[in-house]
Amino acid sequence: MSRPSHRPDNTLFRDAEGGLLCPRGSVVCIGAFDGLHLGHRALVRHAAMRGRELGLPVVALSFEPLPREFFAPDAPPPRLTLPRAKYEGLRGLGADLVGLLRFDAAMAAMAPERFIEAVLVQRLATREVHVGPGFRFGHRRAGDLATLQREGHRHGFVAGEIEPVLLEGERVSSTRIRAALQDGRFDAAARLLGRPYAIGGTVVHGRQLGRKLGYPTANLRFGDKTPPLRGIYASRVHGVGDTPWPAVSSFGTRPTIGGVEPLLEAHLFDFDGDLYGRRIEVEFVARLRDERKFDDLPALVAQMDRDAAQARGILKHPAQRASA
Protein backbone atom coordinates (compact mmCIF):
# COMPACT_ATOMS: atom_id res chain seq x y z
CA MET A 1 0.00 0.00 0.00
CA SER A 2 1.34 3.42 -0.90
CA ARG A 3 1.77 6.23 1.63
CA PRO A 4 -1.23 8.58 1.75
CA SER A 5 -0.77 11.80 -0.14
CA HIS A 6 -2.01 13.91 2.76
CA ARG A 7 0.72 15.15 5.11
CA PRO A 8 0.13 16.86 8.45
CA ASP A 9 -0.17 20.62 8.03
CA ASN A 10 2.33 21.09 10.86
CA THR A 11 5.30 18.77 10.50
CA LEU A 12 6.95 19.69 13.83
CA PHE A 13 5.63 19.51 17.39
CA ARG A 14 7.30 20.14 20.76
CA ASP A 15 4.71 19.25 23.43
CA ALA A 16 4.42 15.80 24.98
CA GLU A 17 0.77 16.36 25.88
CA GLY A 18 -1.99 17.79 23.75
CA GLY A 19 -4.49 16.95 21.07
CA LEU A 20 -4.45 14.00 18.70
CA LEU A 21 -2.07 14.58 15.79
CA CYS A 22 -2.55 11.37 13.80
CA PRO A 23 -6.25 10.41 13.85
CA ARG A 24 -5.73 7.40 11.56
CA GLY A 25 -2.82 6.07 13.57
CA SER A 26 0.94 6.27 13.01
CA VAL A 27 4.23 4.42 12.85
CA VAL A 28 6.74 5.87 15.33
CA CYS A 29 10.50 5.68 15.78
CA ILE A 30 12.24 7.13 18.83
CA GLY A 31 15.87 8.14 19.41
CA ALA A 32 18.29 10.93 20.23
CA PHE A 33 19.20 11.13 16.52
CA ASP A 34 22.28 13.27 17.20
CA GLY A 35 24.29 13.11 14.01
CA LEU A 36 21.76 11.01 12.08
CA HIS A 37 24.42 8.33 11.60
CA LEU A 38 24.02 4.97 9.85
CA GLY A 39 22.23 3.43 12.83
CA HIS A 40 19.75 6.30 13.07
CA ARG A 41 19.18 6.22 9.33
CA ALA A 42 18.45 2.49 9.43
CA LEU A 43 15.88 3.03 12.19
CA VAL A 44 14.06 5.90 10.47
CA ARG A 45 14.08 4.18 7.10
CA HIS A 46 12.68 1.01 8.69
CA ALA A 47 9.84 3.02 10.22
CA ALA A 48 9.28 4.80 6.89
CA MET A 49 9.04 1.44 5.11
CA ARG A 50 6.48 0.22 7.65
CA GLY A 51 4.53 3.45 7.25
CA ARG A 52 4.35 2.93 3.49
CA GLU A 53 3.26 -0.68 3.94
CA LEU A 54 0.49 0.28 6.38
CA GLY A 55 -0.51 3.51 4.66
CA LEU A 56 0.13 5.48 7.86
CA PRO A 57 2.13 8.65 8.61
CA VAL A 58 5.61 8.17 10.04
CA VAL A 59 6.58 10.04 13.20
CA ALA A 60 10.18 10.50 14.38
CA LEU A 61 10.36 11.32 18.10
CA SER A 62 13.37 12.94 19.75
CA PHE A 63 14.11 15.42 22.54
CA GLU A 64 15.47 18.97 22.80
CA PRO A 65 17.61 19.47 24.71
CA LEU A 66 18.94 15.94 24.70
CA PRO A 67 18.54 14.28 28.11
CA ARG A 68 22.30 14.21 28.67
CA GLU A 69 22.42 17.96 28.03
CA PHE A 70 19.64 18.53 30.55
CA PHE A 71 21.23 16.41 33.28
CA ALA A 72 24.77 17.77 32.80
CA PRO A 73 24.35 21.47 31.96
CA ASP A 74 27.87 22.33 33.11
CA ALA A 75 29.51 19.58 31.05
CA PRO A 76 27.13 18.65 28.23
CA PRO A 77 28.26 16.21 25.54
CA PRO A 78 29.32 17.84 22.26
CA ARG A 79 26.43 18.08 19.83
CA LEU A 80 26.87 16.68 16.34
CA THR A 81 23.62 18.07 14.92
CA LEU A 82 21.70 21.22 15.77
CA PRO A 83 17.90 20.98 16.16
CA ARG A 84 17.03 22.45 12.76
CA ALA A 85 19.43 20.11 10.96
CA LYS A 86 18.04 17.16 12.91
CA TYR A 87 14.48 18.09 11.95
CA GLU A 88 15.42 18.52 8.29
CA GLY A 89 17.38 15.27 8.26
CA LEU A 90 14.54 13.27 9.79
CA ARG A 91 12.11 14.69 7.27
CA GLY A 92 14.53 13.85 4.48
CA LEU A 93 14.69 10.24 5.67
CA GLY A 94 10.92 9.87 5.39
CA ALA A 95 9.36 11.20 8.61
CA ASP A 96 6.03 12.92 7.94
CA LEU A 97 5.95 14.40 11.42
CA VAL A 98 8.85 15.18 13.77
CA GLY A 99 8.50 15.55 17.53
CA LEU A 100 11.36 17.40 19.22
CA LEU A 101 9.87 17.06 22.68
CA ARG A 102 10.92 19.61 25.32
CA PHE A 103 13.09 17.76 27.79
CA ASP A 104 12.61 19.60 31.08
CA ALA A 105 12.05 18.68 34.73
CA ALA A 106 8.50 17.51 34.00
CA MET A 107 9.67 15.26 31.17
CA ALA A 108 12.53 13.91 33.30
CA ALA A 109 10.06 12.94 36.03
CA MET A 110 7.55 11.32 33.66
CA ALA A 111 7.10 7.60 34.25
CA PRO A 112 7.54 5.40 31.18
CA GLU A 113 3.89 4.35 31.29
CA ARG A 114 2.76 7.97 31.38
CA PHE A 115 5.00 8.85 28.44
CA ILE A 116 3.51 6.01 26.45
CA GLU A 117 -0.05 7.05 27.28
CA ALA A 118 0.44 10.78 26.73
CA VAL A 119 2.62 10.73 23.60
CA LEU A 120 2.28 7.41 21.83
CA VAL A 121 -1.40 6.79 22.55
CA GLN A 122 -3.13 10.14 23.04
CA ARG A 123 -1.07 12.29 20.64
CA LEU A 124 -0.04 9.82 17.96
CA ALA A 125 -2.47 6.87 18.09
CA THR A 126 0.58 4.69 17.54
CA ARG A 127 0.12 1.38 15.73
CA GLU A 128 3.82 0.48 15.69
CA VAL A 129 6.85 1.88 17.52
CA HIS A 130 10.44 1.07 16.58
CA VAL A 131 13.59 1.78 18.60
CA GLY A 132 17.31 1.11 18.42
CA PRO A 133 19.23 -1.47 20.47
CA GLY A 134 19.32 -0.78 24.21
CA PHE A 135 16.78 2.06 24.05
CA ARG A 136 15.75 3.40 27.49
CA PHE A 137 13.26 6.13 28.40
CA GLY A 138 11.20 7.63 31.19
CA HIS A 139 11.99 8.55 34.79
CA ARG A 140 15.39 7.14 35.80
CA ARG A 141 15.52 5.40 32.40
CA ALA A 142 13.17 2.77 33.76
CA GLY A 143 11.45 2.09 30.42
CA ASP A 144 12.80 -0.27 27.76
CA LEU A 145 11.61 -2.42 24.87
CA ALA A 146 9.83 -4.80 27.25
CA THR A 147 7.93 -1.84 28.72
CA LEU A 148 6.87 -0.73 25.24
CA GLN A 149 5.75 -4.24 24.35
CA ARG A 150 3.81 -4.72 27.60
CA GLU A 151 2.05 -1.36 27.33
CA GLY A 152 1.54 -1.86 23.63
CA HIS A 153 -0.45 -5.00 24.38
CA ARG A 154 -2.70 -2.88 26.63
CA HIS A 155 -3.09 0.01 24.21
CA GLY A 156 -3.15 -1.78 20.88
CA PHE A 157 0.27 -1.19 19.33
CA VAL A 158 3.32 -3.35 18.72
CA ALA A 159 6.94 -2.48 19.48
CA GLY A 160 10.17 -3.72 17.95
CA GLU A 161 13.92 -3.15 18.02
CA ILE A 162 16.11 -3.01 14.92
CA GLU A 163 19.38 -4.92 14.71
CA PRO A 164 22.51 -2.93 15.62
CA VAL A 165 24.35 -1.41 12.66
CA LEU A 166 28.01 -2.43 12.80
CA LEU A 167 31.05 -0.91 11.12
CA GLU A 168 34.45 -2.56 11.44
CA GLY A 169 32.99 -4.95 13.99
CA GLU A 170 31.68 -2.27 16.35
CA ARG A 171 28.27 -0.68 16.74
CA VAL A 172 27.87 2.69 15.03
CA SER A 173 27.29 5.36 17.67
CA SER A 174 27.41 9.11 18.20
CA THR A 175 30.16 8.52 20.77
CA ARG A 176 32.41 6.95 18.13
CA ILE A 177 31.73 9.85 15.77
CA ARG A 178 32.56 12.48 18.41
CA ALA A 179 35.84 10.71 19.15
CA ALA A 180 36.73 10.56 15.45
CA LEU A 181 35.96 14.26 14.95
CA GLN A 182 37.95 15.35 17.98
CA ASP A 183 40.91 13.31 16.70
CA GLY A 184 40.62 14.85 13.23
CA ARG A 185 39.71 11.48 11.66
CA PHE A 186 37.12 12.87 9.28
CA ASP A 187 37.24 9.86 6.95
CA ALA A 188 36.28 7.62 9.88
CA ALA A 189 33.50 9.99 10.92
CA ALA A 190 32.16 10.05 7.36
CA ARG A 191 32.02 6.25 7.25
CA LEU A 192 30.00 6.17 10.48
CA LEU A 193 27.69 8.96 9.34
CA GLY A 194 27.25 7.74 5.79
CA ARG A 195 28.29 11.19 4.54
CA PRO A 196 30.99 13.82 5.25
CA TYR A 197 30.56 15.67 8.54
CA ALA A 198 29.20 19.20 8.06
CA ILE A 199 27.60 21.93 10.15
CA GLY A 200 24.86 24.04 8.59
CA GLY A 201 23.35 27.36 9.51
CA THR A 202 22.41 30.84 8.39
CA VAL A 203 25.28 33.27 7.83
CA VAL A 204 25.21 36.01 10.46
CA HIS A 205 27.03 39.31 10.88
CA GLY A 206 30.23 39.29 12.91
CA ARG A 207 32.62 42.02 14.03
CA GLN A 208 34.01 42.45 10.48
CA LEU A 209 37.53 41.92 11.84
CA GLY A 210 38.31 39.19 9.34
CA ARG A 211 37.55 41.53 6.45
CA LYS A 212 39.88 44.16 7.91
CA LEU A 213 42.63 41.54 8.21
CA GLY A 214 42.20 40.37 4.62
CA TYR A 215 40.24 37.24 5.53
CA PRO A 216 36.49 37.93 5.27
CA THR A 217 34.47 35.07 6.73
CA ALA A 218 30.99 33.61 6.61
CA ASN A 219 30.00 33.20 10.25
CA LEU A 220 27.70 30.55 11.74
CA ARG A 221 26.58 30.48 15.37
CA PHE A 222 26.30 27.18 17.23
CA GLY A 223 23.70 28.46 19.68
CA ASP A 224 23.87 27.24 23.25
CA LYS A 225 25.13 23.80 22.22
CA THR A 226 28.65 22.51 22.86
CA PRO A 227 30.58 22.21 19.56
CA PRO A 228 32.09 18.84 18.63
CA LEU A 229 35.14 20.57 17.11
CA ARG A 230 37.57 23.31 18.02
CA GLY A 231 40.47 24.49 15.93
CA ILE A 232 41.40 25.37 12.35
CA TYR A 233 40.29 23.22 9.43
CA ALA A 234 40.53 22.77 5.68
CA SER A 235 36.89 22.76 4.62
CA ARG A 236 34.38 22.98 1.81
CA VAL A 237 31.31 25.21 1.88
CA HIS A 238 28.07 23.98 0.35
CA GLY A 239 25.24 26.25 -0.74
CA VAL A 240 27.35 28.96 -2.37
CA GLY A 241 27.98 27.71 -5.89
CA ASP A 242 27.21 24.74 -8.10
CA THR A 243 30.01 22.79 -6.44
CA PRO A 244 31.43 22.90 -2.89
CA TRP A 245 33.64 25.97 -2.36
CA PRO A 246 37.14 25.45 -0.90
CA ALA A 247 37.74 27.27 2.37
CA VAL A 248 39.72 27.44 5.58
CA SER A 249 37.56 27.51 8.70
CA SER A 250 38.03 28.39 12.34
CA PHE A 251 35.75 26.98 15.03
CA GLY A 252 36.29 28.44 18.48
CA THR A 253 36.01 31.49 20.70
CA ARG A 254 38.70 33.68 19.03
CA PRO A 255 40.88 34.14 22.16
CA THR A 256 43.21 36.68 20.50
CA ILE A 257 40.37 39.22 20.41
CA GLY A 258 38.74 38.15 23.69
CA GLY A 259 35.85 36.20 22.21
CA VAL A 260 33.54 34.08 24.36
CA GLU A 261 30.81 32.56 22.16
CA PRO A 262 31.77 29.59 19.97
CA LEU A 263 31.67 30.75 16.35
CA LEU A 264 32.29 28.93 13.10
CA GLU A 265 34.07 31.25 10.64
CA ALA A 266 34.68 30.09 7.08
CA HIS A 267 36.97 32.03 4.72
CA LEU A 268 36.04 31.05 1.17
CA PHE A 269 39.04 31.18 -1.14
CA ASP A 270 38.78 33.65 -4.02
CA PHE A 271 35.14 34.42 -3.28
CA ASP A 272 33.59 37.84 -3.76
CA GLY A 273 29.98 38.13 -2.73
CA ASP A 274 27.48 38.71 0.06
CA LEU A 275 26.40 35.62 1.99
CA TYR A 276 24.53 37.27 4.88
CA GLY A 277 21.24 35.49 5.47
CA ARG A 278 22.23 32.59 3.21
CA ARG A 279 21.94 29.07 4.59
CA ILE A 280 25.19 27.16 4.04
CA GLU A 281 26.90 23.99 5.23
CA VAL A 282 30.56 23.80 6.18
CA GLU A 283 32.08 20.37 5.49
CA PHE A 284 35.23 19.56 7.43
CA VAL A 285 38.01 17.90 5.45
CA ALA A 286 41.18 18.02 7.59
CA ARG A 287 42.29 19.45 10.91
CA LEU A 288 45.19 21.90 10.67
CA ARG A 289 45.89 22.92 14.27
CA ASP A 290 44.49 23.90 17.66
CA GLU A 291 43.00 27.30 18.30
CA ARG A 292 45.39 29.47 20.31
CA LYS A 293 45.88 33.02 21.50
CA PHE A 294 48.42 35.20 19.65
CA ASP A 295 50.34 38.10 21.09
CA ASP A 296 49.00 40.57 18.51
CA LEU A 297 47.05 40.81 15.27
CA PRO A 298 50.11 40.73 12.94
CA ALA A 299 51.12 37.40 14.48
CA LEU A 300 47.57 36.13 13.99
CA VAL A 301 47.53 37.22 10.33
CA ALA A 302 50.88 35.54 9.68
CA GLN A 303 49.46 32.28 11.02
CA MET A 304 46.27 32.72 9.00
CA ASP A 305 48.44 33.01 5.89
CA ARG A 306 50.08 29.70 6.73
CA ASP A 307 46.72 28.09 7.50
CA ALA A 308 45.24 29.25 4.20
CA ALA A 309 48.21 27.95 2.20
CA GLN A 310 48.06 24.59 3.96
CA ALA A 311 44.30 24.30 3.44
CA ARG A 312 44.62 25.12 -0.27
CA GLY A 313 47.22 22.39 -0.63
CA ILE A 314 45.08 19.80 1.15
CA LEU A 315 41.96 20.63 -0.84
CA LYS A 316 43.89 20.56 -4.11
CA HIS A 317 45.59 17.29 -3.20
CA PRO A 318 43.21 15.40 -0.87
CA ALA A 319 45.77 12.68 -0.12
CA GLN A 320 47.92 15.22 1.73
CA ARG A 321 47.29 14.97 5.48
CA ALA A 322 47.23 17.83 7.96
CA SER A 323 49.18 17.97 11.18
CA ALA A 324 47.32 17.44 14.45
Side-chain angles (χ1 to χ4, degrees):
M1 184 181 294
S2 63
R3 177 181 296 189
S5 59
H6 174 265
R7 287 177 176 267
D9 292 334
N10 186 356
T11 58
L12 173 68
F13 69 101
R14 299 295 316 279
D15 297 320
E17 301 187 75
L20 180 62
L21 296 173
C22 301
R24 296 176 51 252
S26 66
V27 174
V28 178
C29 57
I30 315 175
F33 299 127
D34 188 26
L36 287 175
H37 57 56
L38 292 177
H40 298 145
R41 298 163 88 82
L43 174 59
V44 181
R45 284 172 173 156
H46 177 73
M49 176 192 70
R50 291 297 297 151
R52 288 194 298 271
E53 291 173 350
L54 296 173
L56 294 174
V58 177
V59 183
L61 276 183
S62 190
F63 306 92
E64 286 297 338
L66 297 180
R68 284 184 296 171
E69 291 176 316
F70 175 81
F71 287 117
D74 296 330
R79 277 293 293 266
L80 299 174
T81 306
L82 294 176
R84 174 169 172 170
K86 179 161 70 171
Y87 162 78
E88 292 174 345
L90 290 168
R91 291 275 289 147
L93 290 169
D96 298 292
L97 186 62
V98 175
L100 300 183
L101 302 179
R102 293 183 181 88
F103 198 92
D104 52 17
M107 176 67 75
M110 189 178 287
E113 294 79 7
R114 177 56 189 156
F115 178 87
I116 290 169
E117 183 177 358
V119 181
L120 298 184
V121 178
Q122 296 178 358
R123 297 230 75 184
L124 302 176
T126 301
R127 296 267 298 278
E128 292 187 3
V129 57
H130 301 276
V131 296
F135 174 74
R136 304 300 294 257
F137 69 105
H139 183 53
R140 297 187 182 278
R141 293 169 49 85
D144 57 10
L145 177 62
T147 309
L148 288 168
Q149 292 173 332
R150 182 184 68 245
E151 294 299 305
H153 184 71
R154 285 184 55 214
H155 293 289
F157 66 83
V158 297
E161 177 183 275
I162 68 165
E163 292 293 321
V165 175
L166 305 179
L167 185 67
E168 299 168 356
E170 295 183 42
R171 181 181 164 188
V172 174
S173 69
S174 298
T175 300
R176 286 182 68 187
I177 296 166
R178 292 186 191 102
L181 292 176
Q182 290 168 351
D183 292 344
R185 295 182 288 115
F186 293 106
D187 289 346
R191 289 195 297 273
L192 293 163
L193 287 163
R195 65 196 186 284
Y197 181 68
I199 292 175
T202 301
V203 178
V204 299
H205 287 272
R207 295 171 57 177
Q208 304 290 315
L209 180 61
R211 185 173 301 277
K212 295 174 184 175
L213 299 178
Y215 284 92
T217 59
N219 302 326
L220 302 181
R221 289 198 169 94
F222 208 64
D224 59 352
K225 306 301 181 184
T226 301
L229 301 172
R230 180 158 297 190
I232 315 302
Y233 301 88
S235 55
R236 299 186 182 98
V237 177
H238 300 253
V240 175
D242 295 333
T243 59
W245 204 286
V248 60
S249 297
S250 170
F251 205 167
T253 58
R254 297 150 295 145
T256 303
I257 61 171
V260 176
E261 176 194 10
L263 192 69
L264 173 54
E265 301 173 287
H267 171 67
L268 285 67
F269 296 135
D270 309 314
F271 178 81
D272 183 18
D274 184 359
L275 295 177
Y276 292 122
R278 177 88 64 91
R279 185 159 180 85
I280 64 171
E281 277 197 334
V282 179
E283 173 195 339
F284 297 87
V285 177
R287 189 174 189 275
L288 306 183
R289 62 174 176 87
D290 291 335
E291 181 183 48
R292 64 187 179 92
K293 184 176 182 179
F294 292 88
D295 293 335
D296 51 37
L297 290 180
L300 172 61
V301 172
Q303 182 61 59
M304 292 167 69
D305 291 340
R306 292 190 288 270
D307 295 337
Q310 186 179 8
R312 284 181 184 270
I314 289 170
L315 296 169
K316 187 176 181 180
H317 305 287
Q320 179 181 340
R321 310 313 299 173
S323 60

